[in-house]
Amino acid sequence: MTELTLVQAVNRGLQQAMRDDPDVLVLGEDVGVNGGVFRATEGLLKEFGEDRVLDTPLSETGIVGTAVGMALYGLKPVAEIQFLDFIYPAFDQIVSELAKFRYRSGGQYPCHVVIRTPYGGGIKGGLYHSQSTEAYFAHTAGLKVVIPSTPADAKGLLLTAIHDEDPVMFLEPKRIYRSVTGEVPEGDHRVPFGKARLVREGTDVSVFAYGAMVPVVTDAVEAVAKEGISAEVIDLRTLVPLDEAAILASVEKTGRAVVVHEAARFCGFGAELSAILAEKAFYSLKAPIARVTGYDTPFPYALENLYLPNVERVARALRTTVRSG
Amino acid sequence: MSATQAPPALPTAVSPGVAGMTPEDLVRAYRVMLLSRATDDRCLSLQRQGRIGFYVPASGQEAAQVGAASALAPEDWVFPAYRELGVALYRGVGLERLIDQFIGNAGDLLKGRQMPNHYGYRDHRIVVASSPIGTQITQAVGAALAARRRKDSLATITFFGDGATSSNDFHAGLNFAGVYRAPTIFVCQNNQWAISLPREKQTRSRTLAEKAEAYGFPGVVVDGTDVEAVHAAVADARSRAVRGEGPTLIEAQVYRFGPHSTSDDPRRYRTDAEVEHWKASDPVLRLRTRLTSLGALDEARDAALVEEARAAVAKAVSAAEATGPVDPTTFFDDVFAAPTPQLLAERDEFDQLLKDGAVKP
């Protein structure tokens, strides 16, 4: 075990995969000499050389299209998109190509690419360095969507992603790249997909979150614990595949649910979680499901702290939910 | 040719030193071209009769496709657009397998998932096509870089039309290929029309091939109705690629005799006179004349080959139409390597609907 930040854990995950498997390579903007704008790929060029760490021209569709071709050939490319906000030139490659290759070929052409990209607000990034658009990808058949919230999970989920057989969108919560540290296992540490993490047990209400919202939720739950509210916190880890069993089991126990994400509310991932609970846990619910989310506005620069769910907003939702039924 | 040279004027000469096609090669090419033309003729009529849902004809472009395919090695990877019937046939994809795909029946290796012509066959190193324009271009570059990383001596080739030269992936793909000196052959089949948009409204560039210069590698124009010229250009590009000299853009000038697809009527946007003008350069007729002048073909032999192609298509259509429908229980396969719990639940729901007769295949 080593104490690492989340971004260091990503780096160690990449290094581990590249040491273990010569087919793994990294490509993206500024990932080589510069080690990535967040330093996630630091040291990789030196250790693995230009053949396996490709500083690419500035074109997201070029990065992903090239990675798709490499994967069709049998390599395991890990593409970095510098910010999730810049991924849209590659949207066609991701949604029309990467996600559909296996299906559209009747299984002849699996296409396993991992796309790593920092997402989310809280770094004074304004409209174009802050968004959380995981729902676009979760909505697309054929993509797995992974969002770690701890250093150990960042490494473990990334290694699972790289050795998976399907395309993976690996969204990294850049706001907590360095603010969260934790013990990270050495070696080929893998965390399975589709298994939510029970962060904290509770009996009165279940809170579902992922990525950078997990520490916010944890703080809020600690605050309301002093008021006698016992909240259970579940970190989803992977939106696709979703650990529906864990979600339903928790709500069947607590009877109440609060969903937290920093993405906009309308058609956000919380809407799917709420629908699942309404369909499958209706008779366990004692209170309406509450969502604490970003707003349905573009992501604002100066007022970003008012856009993002904070401890007090989550705490209010917990109190309201527990007291309403 | 250095990257800084201007592209050659039309039409380019066959490069000296590149092995040409023997009369036997030309007969083989001719038979594939006849098969392609016969498939088009039959499938257009099958579509009008409602026996297949859609069709993208290749007529007029056979020499470009077969000429290119004939210059490749079996290990080379092909990234098609969706109009490369001649490439598939030349590489040995069975006609019945193709018609199965056009119908979307139980014999379709793609399990009925794609519109006609959007096929791909791993056994033949033909990557499965999609409808978005140009997306295969960057992918061909990636596969070429992967082959080089694996130290496999081969090239990737990608086909696209004149319209695709305006796409994001054309620019990105050619730029990446130039930067990394990818062993990729870019074949633009300039058939003069992107559905209704004529070539001169697609770009102000004098030729499409000259765009290569901006990416730092050679671009050449060939007469795409001349199978030998295309073969020579692709053979040249392939040897450069496998020698580590990087990519080439080849603009094969052709004409699409039919509609873009069975969903449009070309008389809305182009004149009959223009079509007739190009029909004078019908690649099938040109090769017929060439073979006759070589003494490799006479009228009786030609008639037999035409009939052979027609009969092969008829046989494949009969067999494919006798094949049963696609199995609906394959519906949820291949989304992922293994289905997620959500997909399994949907499959259970779907199976129940099928069982109850609430939905029918």
Side-chain angles (χ1 to χ4, degrees):
Chain A
M1 291 277 196
T2 320
E3 180 91 1
L4 297 175
T5 64
L6 198 148
V7 72
Q8 285 170 332
V10 169
N11 181 266
R12 298 300 161 84
L14 291 169
Q15 183 190 52
Q16 183 73 38
M18 293 178 82
R19 284 179 179 173
D20 291 348
D21 187 342
D23 282 342
V24 178
L25 55 83
V26 164
L27 70 162
E29 294 158 14
D30 308 302
V31 299
V33 176
N34 195 45
V37 295
F38 289 102
R39 306 288 173 264
T41 53
E42 186 140 278
L44 299 180
L45 176 65
K46 196 172 167 215
E47 182 171 353
F48 301 105
E50 284 186 345
D51 266 9
R52 296 180 67 194
V53 181
L54 282 76
D55 270 323
T56 65
L58 205 163
S59 168
E60 287 76 17
T61 192
I63 294 165
V64 178
T66 300
V68 165
M70 290 173 164
L72 292 170
Y73 200 85
L75 299 187
K76 297 180 178 177
V78 182
E80 176 176 308
I81 299 296
Q82 203 158 76
F83 287 83
L84 177 58
D85 312 69
F86 302 153
I87 208 164
Y88 306 106
F91 205 59
D92 198 18
Q93 281 291 346
I94 296 169
V95 169
S96 306
E97 302 292 322
L98 178 58
K100 293 176 173 56
F101 252 108
R102 183 189 292 275
Y103 194 78
R104 83 183 196 214
S105 65
Q108 297 180 86
Y109 283 104
C111 190
H112 167 51
V113 174
V114 177
I115 298 178
R116 293 182 38 247
T117 184
Y119 86 95
I123 62 149
K124 285 283 174 197
L127 280 88
Y128 303 114
H129 300 77
S130 307
Q131 297 167 86
S132 301
T133 55
E134 60 275 11
Y136 293 155
F137 305 101
H139 187 66
T140 300
L143 298 176
K144 291 181 176 172
V145 182
V146 178
I147 309 182
S149 74
T150 68
D153 276 3
K155 182 179 175 188
L157 290 167
L158 180 59
L159 281 165
T160 300
I162 293 171
H163 296 294
D164 200 76
E165 295 176 77
D166 295 309
V168 181
M169 300 299 299
F170 194 85
L171 274 51
E172 298 169 2
K174 59 181 175 284
R175 177 189 185 182
I176 58 171
Y177 258 160
R178 291 184 175 78
S179 65
V180 168
T181 57
E183 293 286 315
V184 178
E186 307 284 345
D188 189 11
H189 166 61
R190 298 202 198 173
V191 172
F193 287 176
K195 296 283 172 213
R197 183 172 69 97
L198 179 62
V199 181
R200 177 185 175 123
E201 277 198 84
T203 53
D204 297 329
V205 57
S206 304
V207 195
F208 302 104
Y210 47 86
M213 285 295 105
V214 173
V216 174
V217 165
T218 308
D219 288 350
V221 164
E222 275 168 22
V224 298
K226 294 174 192 136
E227 301 160 25
I229 294 174
S230 166
E232 179 149 301
V233 180
I234 292 186
D235 172 3
L236 297 179
R237 283 177 164 156
T238 62
L239 308 190
V240 183
L242 182 65
D243 190 354
E244 224 175 90
I247 293 163
L248 294 174
S250 180
V251 171
E252 280 157 16
K253 179 175 79 176
T254 63
R256 300 178 188 89
V258 173
V259 178
V260 183
H261 58 59
E262 59 183 281
R265 183 170 308 171
F266 193 80
C267 291
F269 196 74
E272 183 60 38
L273 291 174
S274 303
I276 289 170
L277 292 171
E279 285 175 347
K280 299 181 182 171
F282 183 78
Y283 297 108
S284 301
L285 287 171
K286 299 172 195 162
I289 299 159
R291 283 184 285 168
V292 186
T293 68
Y295 297 108
D296 292 305
T297 63
F299 193 100
Y301 174 69
L303 300 178
E304 75 168 346
N305 290 336
L306 306 183
Y307 178 94
L308 293 165
N310 64 6
V311 171
E312 189 46 37
R313 278 176 66 194
V314 177
R316 282 166 73 104
L318 290 170
R319 289 182 200 113
T320 307
T321 303
V322 171
R323 284 168 198 161
S324 74
Chain B
M1 179 199 281
S2 87
T4 51
Q5 275 181 306
L10 281 178
T12 186
V14 176
S15 301
V18 171
M21 300 174 80
T22 64
E24 292 72 33
D25 294 337
L26 289 172
V27 169
R28 182 181 170 195
Y30 184 60
R31 291 174 69 171
V32 172
M33 287 165 64
L34 287 176
L35 197 55
S36 178
R37 183 67 60 90
T39 305
D40 264 14
D41 291 347
R42 185 69 197 275
C43 287
L44 286 169
S45 104
L46 289 179
Q47 193 277 336
R48 287 191 205 100
Q49 295 162 17
R51 289 155 74 184
I52 60 175
F54 176 78
Y55 192 71
V56 178
S59 294
Q61 304 183 206
E62 294 93 339
Q65 299 177 4
V66 173
S70 68
L72 301 176
E75 61 268 25
D76 294 340
W77 281 53
V78 177
F79 288 76
Y82 41 62
R83 202 184 292 282
E84 286 72 31
L85 178 62
V87 176
L89 292 171
Y90 192 90
R91 297 210 126 201
V93 179
L95 199 48
E96 189 182 332
R97 176 172 277 185
L98 292 168
I99 309 280
D100 283 340
Q101 196 277 326
F102 300 165
I103 294 172
N105 64 22
D108 176 11
L109 277 193
L110 284 66
K111 305 180 189 172
R113 302 220 174 106
Q114 290 232 65
M115 288 173 87
N117 309 89
H118 293 61
Y119 47 77
Y121 300 102
R122 194 169 193 108
D123 291 351
H124 300 272
R125 297 203 168 184
I126 298 172
V127 174
V128 68
S130 69
S131 305
I133 297 301
T135 47
Q136 72 278 18
I137 299 173
T138 45
Q139 296 165 7
V141 176
L145 298 179
R148 186 165 70 194
R149 159 123 192 91
R150 287 268 181 87
K151 302 198 178 350
D152 296 339
S153 178
L154 57 81
T156 66
I157 186 167
T158 180
F159 293 88
F160 47 89
D162 39 308
T165 63
S166 297
S167 73
N168 299 337
D169 280 88
F170 173 84
H171 167 59
L174 271 69
N175 189 43
F176 274 53
V179 167
Y180 298 118
R181 292 176 75 77
T184 301
I185 308 160
F186 300 100
V187 177
C188 177
Q189 294 185 79
N190 170 11
N191 70 11
Q192 317 301 328
W193 292 90
I195 304 187
S196 66
L197 196 78
R199 153 65 184 87
E200 64 271 19
K201 288 189 178 170
Q202 196 66 247
T203 171
R204 187 68 75 183
S205 297
R206 191 167 55 95
T207 68
L208 301 176
E210 74 187 19
K211 289 172 182 274
E213 190 176 349
Y215 302 107
F217 56 84
V220 295
V221 177
V222 292
D223 179 346
T225 68
D226 178 347
V227 73
E228 291 169 279
V230 177
H231 174 95
V234 174
D236 222 10
R238 186 183 188 277
S239 41
R240 292 187 62 254
V242 296
R243 282 200 308 264
E245 293 169 22
T248 308
L249 171 62
I250 297 167
E251 175 187 353
Q253 298 208 334
V254 295
Y255 194 77
R256 143 161 81 72
F257 289 161
H260 162 74
S261 76
T262 48
S263 299
D264 76 289
D265 174 5
R267 283 172 300 185
R268 288 177 66 89
Y269 50 80
R270 66 187 194 185
T271 63
D272 290 345
E274 181 184 296
V275 179
E276 288 314 308
H277 169 77
W278 279 89
K279 282 204 167 167
S281 312
D282 182 331
V284 173
L285 298 183
R286 283 194 67 172
L287 186 51
R288 179 177 297 161
T289 306
R290 172 89 170 122
L291 285 169
T292 308
S293 74
L294 286 170
L297 192 69
D298 59 27
E299 217 168 287
R301 169 88 169 129
D302 185 48
L305 291 180
V306 169
E307 173 53 24
E308 176 189 85
R310 194 204 59 76
V313 174
K315 188 171 166 229
V317 170
S318 300
E321 289 195 322
T323 302
V326 69
D327 176 2
T329 66
T330 61
F331 200 114
F332 293 90
D333 297 347
D334 308 315
V335 180
F336 296 106
T340 59
Q342 286 71 36
L343 277 168
L344 288 173
E346 288 180 20
R347 190 171 75 186
D348 287 347
E349 183 184 316
F350 178 82
D351 286 348
Q352 190 61 49
L353 289 168
L354 276 177
K355 205 174 136 207
D356 295 347
V359 293
K360 290 186 178 62

